[in-house]
Amino acid sequence: MRNMITIDGPAASGKSTVGKELARRLGWRYLDSGAFYRALAWKALREEVPLNKPEALSELAKKTRINLSSSTEGLRIFVDGHDVTQAIREECVSEAASILAALPEVRRVMLGLQQEFAARGKVVAEGRDMGTVVFPDARFKFFLDAELEERARRRHRELISRGKRASLEKVKAELTERDQRDSTRDVAPLGPAEDALYVDSTHLGVGEVVDLLLHKLKCIEASQNNK
Ligand code: DC
């Protein structure tokens, strides 16, 4: 068993905020697996590689250098040495990332990068297939969910705080489309691992979710030690 935590779940379920805070509290590294897909999507858009050309995209994945580095200001993402931390959060990148994440060959390359990242110490890994495909042997697995209305409100608030204009209805429609694509694709679809603990955060704040997960960690640890 690998001593690490996986948190999977749909878009805007609070995985990143919770994952970062949990990693901080434990002193572990934080692996944002979506950032790898976003980084590649950013490059594909920049180089105008069509999103309906699987071969060109898998070639691009193989030749792109993606690095995640933690600093005092938080996580920074680099593509071939360029800092793309802000740029990959744009909505056009979110959509492109979800499209190319359905390609098996692209996923194979990303899986290698993600496992390499986790081989360097204890991590909290967050995404869609962390507990099911990338780290099936993880010791602690969670599936973090929230009702669509609440997730849309959270994403909408986040966009407004970044100075973006978007209607709540549009945000909700985009989330629905992305969840549909992420959970119905053939490879590594979004879904809870059989041994993951399901957490509904609809009515919980970030601190409450983190406290709940820390409590669950202790319970899982105790039950594993008693075996
Ligand atoms: O978590 P996020 O919004 O940053 O992820 C962006 C896209 O990347 C998401 O729509 C699906 C894809 N993704 C994935 O397929 N597998 C992961 N482990 C993480 C993200």
Side-chain angles (χ1 to χ4, degrees):
M1 225 176 338
R2 201 192 283 247
N3 199 13
M4 65 173 292
I5 299 168
T6 61
I7 309 177
D8 290 307
S13 57
K15 300 180 308 280
S16 323
T17 323
V18 165
K20 270 182 215 154
E21 180 57 15
L22 193 59
R24 196 187 64 78
R25 299 256 291 260
L26 293 168
W28 293 11
R29 283 154 74 239
Y30 165 64
L31 169 57
D32 174 359
S33 63
F36 286 87
Y37 293 95
R38 287 174 177 271
L40 184 64
W42 175 85
K43 184 157 172 188
L45 293 175
R46 188 173 142 121
E47 301 213 337
E48 297 181 3
V49 178
L51 297 174
N52 60 357
K53 291 260 164 47
E55 275 163 31
L57 289 165
S58 58
E59 274 315 302
L60 190 73
K62 282 180 216 151
K63 67 175 196 201
T64 301
R65 275 187 301 121
I66 302 173
N67 295 98
L68 265 58
S69 90
S70 295
S71 74
T72 43
E73 297 132 52
L75 187 73
R76 303 216 72 83
I77 326 292
F78 296 87
V79 171
D80 301 324
H82 296 283
D83 188 336
V84 296
T85 311
Q86 298 287 331
I88 62 167
R89 300 294 156 193
E90 295 296 330
E91 280 310 288
C92 58
V93 177
S94 308
E95 202 200 333
S98 171
I99 293 172
L100 55 79
L103 302 173
E105 194 54 27
V106 165
R107 297 203 74 83
R108 202 181 55 76
V109 178
M110 297 301 141
L111 179 138
L113 296 176
Q114 290 157 3
Q115 289 181 340
E116 199 180 294
F117 183 97
R120 284 179 265 132
K122 288 183 191 165
V123 297
V124 177
E126 168 261 295
R128 305 292 188 290
D129 62 342
M130 296 293 98
T132 48
V133 176
V134 184
F135 304 110
D137 56 345
R139 186 170 180 201
F140 308 102
K141 296 184 187 179
F142 296 101
F143 190 84
L144 190 58
D145 205 354
E147 284 166 17
L148 175 64
E149 290 288 338
E150 176 58 19
R151 290 190 288 118
R153 272 195 293 273
R154 289 176 190 171
R155 179 54 49 89
H156 185 247
R157 258 201 312 269
E158 182 200 327
L159 289 171
I160 300 294
S161 76
R162 280 174 25 215
K164 308 274 176 206
R165 289 161 66 109
S167 77
L168 183 61
E169 281 315 303
K170 184 156 179 266
V171 170
K172 199 166 130 186
E174 279 168 3
L175 280 185
T176 309
E177 191 190 329
R178 205 138 74 83
D179 286 348
Q180 168 77 6
R181 198 185 294 122
D182 293 344
S183 48
T184 56
R185 65 185 177 218
D186 293 337
V187 271
L190 163 69
E194 257 175 35
D195 48 350
L197 209 91
Y198 183 91
V199 176
D200 183 345
S201 76
T202 307
H203 303 291
L204 299 175
V206 174
E208 288 171 311
V209 179
V210 173
D211 286 345
L212 178 68
L213 298 198
L214 285 169
H215 172 71
K216 297 288 181 195
L217 285 180
K218 286 208 188 100
C219 298
I220 298 170
E221 220 166 10
S223 78
Q224 286 172 349
N225 289 342
N226 283 338
K227 272 184 194 160

